[in-house]
Amino acid sequence: MGKKYDHVITKCKEGENWTKVTFKPDLEKFKMAELEEDVVVLMKKWVVDIAGCLGKTVKVELNGALPKNGDRWEICVSLCDGQF
């Protein structure tokens, strides 16, 4: 987290307008071989939340696939007795 790398800016094709953000964790610095499963699950949840918040005009992908088959929100309603 102490190293800073120059960003890479790639021009879009004519008529395109997009932004791509890529995350590459520095596993070696933290003496890890891979991200822990709970961290990966949390990151996937964030991608789904972002997709739901941004609306259908924005395409959000995780590892080349749309989260939750492209659905924007999953809603669940349940009765409760006043407690969670």
Side-chain angles (χ1 to χ4, degrees):
M1 291 172 60
K3 282 187 181 178
K4 200 183 212 182
Y5 296 96
D6 289 335
H7 56 274
V8 177
I9 299 176
T10 305
K11 279 263 199 208
C12 296
K13 293 179 184 175
E14 186 74 30
E16 288 185 349
N17 183 14
W18 53 268
T19 301
K20 178 180 180 180
V21 178
T22 303
F23 169 72
K24 294 181 182 177
D26 188 355
L27 299 174
E28 186 178 308
K29 180 175 183 163
F30 297 101
K31 297 177 177 71
M32 297 171 66
E34 59 186 25
L35 291 174
E36 295 173 359
E37 183 61 28
D38 58 338
V39 172
V40 174
V41 169
L42 182 60
M43 289 178 176
K44 287 179 181 179
K45 181 191 176 308
W46 289 339
V47 170
V48 171
D49 290 346
I50 289 168
C53 291
L54 292 177
K56 293 183 178 182
T57 59
V58 178
K59 182 179 174 184
V60 178
E61 292 183 357
L62 175 66
N63 296 330
L66 296 172
K68 288 192 155 191
N69 299 322
D71 292 342
R72 295 296 173 167
W73 291 103
E74 184 175 304
I75 300 172
C76 177
V77 178
S78 132
L79 298 174
C80 72
D81 60 358
Q83 297 178 359
F84 289 101

